[in-house]
Amino acid sequence: MIYLLLSDSHITGAHCSSKKDKQIITAFFCEKLPYPLSPYFGEEEDLSQILFRALSGLQQTVAFEESSIAVAVSDTLVHHDITEVDKELPLPDAWDYIQWKHQIQWGNKADTFLSFSRVYEQEKTVFHTVHCDSALVNAVNLSLKSLPAFPIWMGTESSVLLEDSNCDDIPILFERTRGFDVYYRTYVGPSMGKLNVRKGSLRISSVKGEEKSLTNALGLGKPKPRKKPQVYLSGRLTQAKRKTIASLRIIRTNPFKNIPIENDDGTLKGIGMHEQSILSGMMTGNIGNYPQNFFLSTGIQDTPEIQKQSSPIPEEKPQPKKKKKPLKKPGNFSSPLPFSSFLSACIFWE
């Protein structure tokens, strides 16, 4: 089994094998992408070239052939949405409403996304939808199959941590250039927002989902908590950044605590704490059953909550193929990337 993390600039990962019915890590690796991904969203061929070059560079470290692959992408590469609807509204109608909202927000650009949703049904019906560039999903799937490997799951890093029992009932922070992105799972579905310092105090903004629950969990509601609220943070912080969240108690886990590492002689060198935490979460969880799998059908994907429903769930129509053109680097660069000729014979995922 191979676990991959995909950011705008790097592919990081680990290879695991089974020995005596136990998982053991045999290799870690990290490869810088030849070009950032986000400028080429919508251009499937260009993204395939970038990814295939990086993955090919890893072939000397890890064998992809006939390996199962799970891919967690940075949440900076996708868009999240939380939608609450009336409990009496049929799921197909709810999905139409979610798509209508997305179309209003993004206009014609909405057609370049694939959308994957999970439904939570308690006192109310809440949908957590992730929108990802369709060309990126297709390019990842194509590149892995051309190695040839077996892609089984593709989703977000936040999905991995939200399913981690170590992160139950506490907000999860992801460090960004300005402040933090925060994700929080409640029994009625996840909430998320942006955490920043304004006028010397922490402020939560751009909240989606249960704002009151998220605010209280961060100790920003009233009355103020007597103890520092706990938050989970996977990466390392500078002293200055730590001061911005001094009112919060940071909780960390010990990555790979119960997973042996073969020939552990500094193999983690170059793999950051954030990446270690996500990889560890993928290895210890039931990754194939994680929600919002980009390798499966778009629409509302099966969860225990919606298995009770009998109405069929509509799927999005396959995206039209984009016109092929040479890869151009943003700015003063125009030379195309070399690309293995056999890749063009592969069948694109639909």
Side-chain angles (χ1 to χ4, degrees):
M1 182 79 185
I2 296 176
Y3 302 91
L4 299 178
L5 307 181
L6 183 62
S7 72
D8 199 34
S9 58
H10 287 79
I11 292 180
T12 307
H15 177 268
C16 290
S17 62
S18 296
K19 293 186 178 180
K20 297 181 180 179
D21 296 327
K22 291 186 178 180
Q23 195 168 213
I24 182 170
I25 302 171
T26 58
F28 290 97
F29 48 87
C30 184
E31 183 80 5
K32 184 177 181 180
L33 296 175
Y35 308 102
L37 297 174
S38 53
Y40 304 105
F41 281 0
E43 302 296 335
E44 188 173 314
E45 184 178 9
D46 294 343
L47 290 169
S48 296
Q49 292 182 45
I50 295 171
L51 292 168
F52 186 77
R53 175 186 282 192
L55 291 169
S56 297
L58 292 169
Q59 290 273 55
Q60 295 180 349
T61 303
V62 59
F64 285 86
E65 186 174 358
E66 297 186 358
S67 294
S68 297
I69 313 290
V71 184
V73 302
S74 170
D75 287 83
T76 59
L77 300 179
V78 304
H79 302 285
H80 291 266
D81 191 25
I82 304 293
T83 305
E84 179 183 336
V85 300
D86 191 289
K87 285 185 69 69
E88 304 304 319
L89 188 66
L91 290 181
D93 292 341
W95 179 247
D96 287 343
Y97 174 64
I98 291 169
Q99 293 296 87
W100 175 81
K101 277 181 56 184
H102 187 57
Q103 191 76 42
I104 293 298
Q105 181 179 3
W106 293 95
N108 292 335
K109 192 177 178 181
D111 294 333
T112 67
F113 292 93
L114 295 177
S115 303
F116 309 87
S117 193
R118 180 181 185 179
V119 62
Y120 298 80
E121 291 188 300
Q122 298 294 334
E123 289 88 356
K124 47 193 172 184
T125 302
V126 177
F127 295 85
H128 176 201
T129 307
V130 182
H131 306 282
C132 186
D133 179 69
S134 62
L136 177 63
V137 176
N138 290 347
V140 170
N141 195 50
L142 169 67
S143 299
L144 292 174
K145 286 183 176 179
S146 68
L147 290 175
F150 302 113
I152 63 169
W153 183 83
M154 180 178 177
T156 62
E157 292 182 345
S158 62
S159 293
V160 174
L161 293 185
L162 285 171
E163 294 297 311
D164 191 333
S165 60
N166 293 310
C167 302
D168 281 348
D169 301 322
I170 60 175
I172 301 166
L173 301 187
F174 287 81
E175 184 183 9
R176 303 303 181 209
T177 303
R178 296 183 177 180
F180 301 86
D181 286 348
V182 55
Y183 298 86
Y184 179 56
R185 184 177 66 179
T186 69
Y187 72 101
V188 293
S191 301
M192 57 201 67
K194 296 186 178 298
L195 190 64
N196 296 281
V197 175
R198 295 179 184 175
K199 297 181 179 180
S201 300
L202 281 178
R203 295 286 188 272
I204 188 75
S205 61
S206 304
V207 175
K208 299 175 181 178
E210 283 283 340
E211 183 170 3
K212 184 177 180 180
S213 297
L214 180 58
T215 300
N216 290 338
L218 292 168
L220 303 179
K222 294 182 179 179
K224 295 293 183 181
R226 296 182 179 180
K227 296 181 179 180
K228 290 184 177 181
Q230 295 181 343
V231 294
Y232 178 86
L233 181 69
S234 57
R236 303 287 189 192
L237 293 178
T238 63
Q239 192 65 27
K241 208 64 174 287
R242 287 185 67 91
K243 288 182 179 179
T244 64
I245 55 172
S247 61
L248 303 173
R249 180 188 172 196
I250 297 175
I251 301 297
R252 303 182 190 276
T253 57
N254 184 6
F256 318 116
K257 180 179 179 181
N258 298 314
I259 309 174
I261 302 174
E262 188 175 70
N263 301 321
D264 187 11
D265 54 355
T267 53
L268 278 171
K269 186 177 181 180
I271 310 295
M273 282 300 300
H274 171 75
E275 289 75 15
Q276 291 183 38
S277 298
I278 302 296
L279 288 171
S280 181
M282 294 171 76
M283 293 174 189
T284 56
N286 191 359
I287 190 69
N289 291 333
Y290 278 8
Q292 289 118 341
N293 187 347
F294 302 168
F295 290 145
L296 298 182
S297 299
T298 57
I300 302 173
Q301 296 184 346
D302 288 341
T303 65
E305 290 85 357
I306 65 173
Q307 288 174 359
K308 301 174 185 178
Q309 302 285 341
S310 58
S311 301
I313 306 304
E315 296 182 4
E316 291 182 2
K317 297 179 180 179
Q319 299 297 325
K321 292 185 177 180
K322 301 293 180 180
K323 182 176 67 175
K324 296 181 179 180
K325 63 182 181 180
L327 176 64
K328 296 181 180 180
K329 182 178 180 182
N332 54 353
F333 147 58
S334 60
S335 60
L337 289 170
F339 191 45
S340 300
S341 59
F342 81 90
L343 187 58
S344 61
C346 297
I347 299 174
F348 281 73
W349 173 79
E350 296 182 351

